[in-house]
Amino acid sequence: MVHADDAEALTEQLAERFRQLQAQHRLTAVELEARTLHSRKNVGWIRTGGRRLPAHHVLQAYDEEFGTGTELADLGQRIRTARTLVRMRTMQARADAGTQTPTRDTDEEVRQTDRRQVIELGALSALALSTHQRMNSAVEDATLDELEADADEIARAYGSAPHAALLPEVGGRWQQVRDILDGPISPQARPRVVTLGGQFSYFLGRLAFNAGDMRSSRRFTRLADMYATETREPVLLMSVATLWSSIAYHTGRYQEAAAALHRVHNVRDPYMDARVAAYEARTFAKLGDHDAARQALDRMERTASTHTPIPGETPVGPAAVAMFRSGVAITLGDRTMATEWAPLAVEGYRRGGGDFTVEESQHADVTMALAHVAGRHRATEPEEAARIAQVVLAARPTHTVITRLRQCAEAFHPGDRELPAVAAFLDGWRALPALPVGTSVQ
């Protein structure tokens, strides 16, 4: 049985044991953060034996890392129980101090009722004070300003940074926000914390999507959707909708892709309006509604502008406008439109800018290759198409780019396949890994 007097001794026991394990495994706080994706602040809280105790799942992660079964998590639970007993004893003492002994037997029953009410109110008021103090402490420790700055930096780097390098950065911040949400948060701080939770969940969903891990992508996107629904922040709402649409689109579920975008048809934000319109255009084209696709392309171009990336989807600027116009043109079978816009997209991405992403610049290149093999055979340039596609193939493309490369490979006429450049590209294409389950060749 845990006693109230055990709280301090158990806290020191946990601190001593944790320091021992750290030394034994030669792991610093920074290394533990990288391995468990939990903030290094948790290590400091444990080692110093302070009042702040990491959440149960954090201690479980350290148990797993150190191979200690449930030792640390169990110690943490015993500390929480002991601290609860301390608080209850304090509440009882405060309540007792505020009561008086009944002096008249005839009023005994009433006075006993009054005393119980005083005890209950005293206990609840002490709990309210404790909750208020913990709320204030949580906001101070969370360093929301720093987390928001981290989200901004990730947004700016997302388009060009290797996704393998981004994953631990995004995952670590996501875990930190999750830890904050596990505790009490003041009403003033909650909107900021929930928005951060939505942004980092969105980034993880997008990273999983780019890796072709649709199961994980759906899980993170579903969580981001919950946060977005609570905050109603327009960029987050629209970014989550476009990610849902992309998941459906790239698994061949075009009606679902359109429905995901329709959910935000009444939401407007200059940063996201063009992106939503671009995704509507590609989806309408796949559904065979050519007029709606062209109207959506025009709406995309009207609302596109140059933005510095912020947490959420990448903005649609001049290069992306050309990329989407040429890509949709291929689906529509409009070679004139494709050959007009594809070179503008390639050149636009070479110049860089706020709408640059490695993935979409590769889409522009593959669309240029497709433009070279689209239409009548005598008008095609198969060797140039193969040369462009080969460069993209060598750059470790994402699964969405791979689907376009497959489309390019299938577009070559039988007589083209003997050409050296085409044969080399096709050999590389055949060596590609299998597409994720459910992925559609676009």
Side-chain angles (χ1 to χ4, degrees), residues 34-113:
R35 286 169 177 251
T36 66
L37 298 181
H38 291 296
S39 171
R40 70 194 71 173
K41 291 182 180 179
N42 291 289
V43 173
W45 294 335
I46 298 172
R47 288 178 61 91
T48 58
R51 292 297 304 166
R52 188 68 182 265
L53 183 66
H56 184 72
H57 68 273
V58 177
L59 294 174
Q60 285 179 317
Y62 292 144
D63 271 326
E64 184 175 347
E65 186 61 39
F66 291 134
T68 48
T70 62
E71 179 184 352
L72 300 179
D74 289 347
L75 264 175
Q77 188 56 50
R78 292 175 65 193
I79 291 169
R80 289 187 185 88
T81 301
R83 288 179 178 179
T84 299
L85 291 172
V86 170
R87 287 197 298 272
M88 291 176 63
R89 189 169 62 183
T90 301
M91 293 175 191
Q92 183 66 54
R94 288 175 179 172
D96 289 344
T99 62
Q100 295 179 355
T101 304
T103 57
R104 298 174 61 182
D105 293 340
T106 56
D107 294 333
E108 183 65 25
E109 185 176 345
V110 173
R111 290 181 182 278
Q112 285 180 351
T113 301

Side-chain angles (χ1 to χ4, degrees), residues 170-245:
V170 179
R173 273 62 175 188
W174 179 78
Q175 288 277 18
Q176 190 174 351
V177 172
R178 184 168 171 266
D179 290 344
I180 295 169
L181 287 168
D182 279 345
I185 307 170
S186 70
Q188 294 78 14
R190 182 171 179 81
R192 294 176 68 189
V193 179
V194 171
T195 298
L196 284 165
Q199 290 169 345
F200 290 124
S201 297
Y202 164 79
F203 278 130
L204 286 173
R206 189 171 167 189
L207 285 169
F209 171 79
N210 290 142
D213 184 353
M214 296 302 186
R215 182 189 299 274
S216 295
S217 184
R218 287 187 178 94
R219 288 173 176 173
F220 284 118
T221 306
R222 190 173 296 111
L223 182 59
D225 206 342
M226 290 175 58
Y227 291 136
T229 300
E230 178 175 341
T231 66
R232 306 303 301 174
E233 198 282 313
V235 172
L236 182 57
L237 278 168
M238 298 169 85
S239 296
V240 170
T242 57
L243 185 50
W244 275 130
S245 182

Side-chain angles (χ1 to χ4, degrees), residues 68-349:
T68 48
T70 62
E71 179 184 352
L72 300 179
D74 289 347
L75 264 175
Q77 188 56 50
R78 292 175 65 193
I79 291 169
R80 289 187 185 88
T81 301
R83 288 179 178 179
T84 299
L85 291 172
V86 170
R87 287 197 298 272
M88 291 176 63
R89 189 169 62 183
T90 301
M91 293 175 191
Q92 183 66 54
R94 288 175 179 172
D96 289 344
T99 62
Q100 295 179 355
T101 304
T103 57
R104 298 174 61 182
D105 293 340
T106 56
D107 294 333
E108 183 65 25
E109 185 176 345
V110 173
R111 290 181 182 278
Q112 285 180 351
T113 301
D114 290 344
R115 186 173 184 274
R116 285 195 296 270
Q117 291 175 343
V118 169
I119 291 173
E120 183 176 354
L121 287 171
L124 291 174
S125 67
L127 183 59
L129 174 62
S130 171
T131 302
H132 181 265
Q133 291 170 340
R134 290 173 64 199
M135 282 180 175
N136 289 338
S137 174
V139 171
E140 291 174 2
D141 291 333
T143 319
L144 298 185
D145 288 342
E146 291 183 12
L147 283 168
E148 288 166 344
D150 289 342
D152 289 339
E153 289 180 9
I154 289 167
R156 288 191 292 269
Y158 192 96
S160 55
H163 292 165
L166 282 176
L167 179 57
E169 296 297 322
V170 179
R173 273 62 175 188
W174 179 78
Q175 288 277 18
Q176 190 174 351
V177 172
R178 184 168 171 266
D179 290 344
I180 295 169
L181 287 168
D182 279 345
I185 307 170
S186 70
Q188 294 78 14
R190 182 171 179 81
R192 294 176 68 189
V193 179
V194 171
T195 298
L196 284 165
Q199 290 169 345
F200 290 124
S201 297
Y202 164 79
F203 278 130
L204 286 173
R206 189 171 167 189
L207 285 169
F209 171 79
N210 290 142
D213 184 353
M214 296 302 186
R215 182 189 299 274
S216 295
S217 184
R218 287 187 178 94
R219 288 173 176 173
F220 284 118
T221 306
R222 190 173 296 111
L223 182 59
D225 206 342
M226 290 175 58
Y227 291 136
T229 300
E230 178 175 341
T231 66
R232 306 303 301 174
E233 198 282 313
V235 172
L236 182 57
L237 278 168
M238 298 169 85
S239 296
V240 170
T242 57
L243 185 50
W244 275 130
S245 182
S246 289
I247 292 169
Y249 181 90
H250 286 283
T251 51
R253 299 176 174 91
Y254 304 120
Q255 291 287 358
E256 290 182 24
L261 298 171
H262 185 71
R263 286 177 52 196
V264 293
H265 72 282
N266 288 326
V267 183
R268 294 284 183 273
D269 190 280
Y271 183 85
M272 283 295 300
D273 288 341
R275 175 67 61 172
V276 172
Y279 283 11
E280 287 174 335
R282 72 179 185 182
T283 305
F284 288 141
K286 282 293 183 182
L287 290 170
D289 193 340
H290 292 197
D291 288 342
R294 293 180 188 276
Q295 290 170 14
L297 287 174
D298 291 342
R299 188 164 59 253
M300 170 196 68
E301 190 168 354
R302 285 197 306 271
T303 54
S305 59
T306 303
H307 294 277
T308 298
I310 62 176
E313 255 287 6
T314 305
V316 170
V321 166
M323 186 271 295
F324 279 111
R325 278 200 175 276
S326 57
V328 171
I330 294 293
T331 304
L332 297 177
D334 189 338
R335 186 171 190 269
T336 300
M337 181 177 169
T339 55
E340 175 188 357
W341 287 97
L344 297 177
V346 172
E347 180 58 30
Y349 282 118

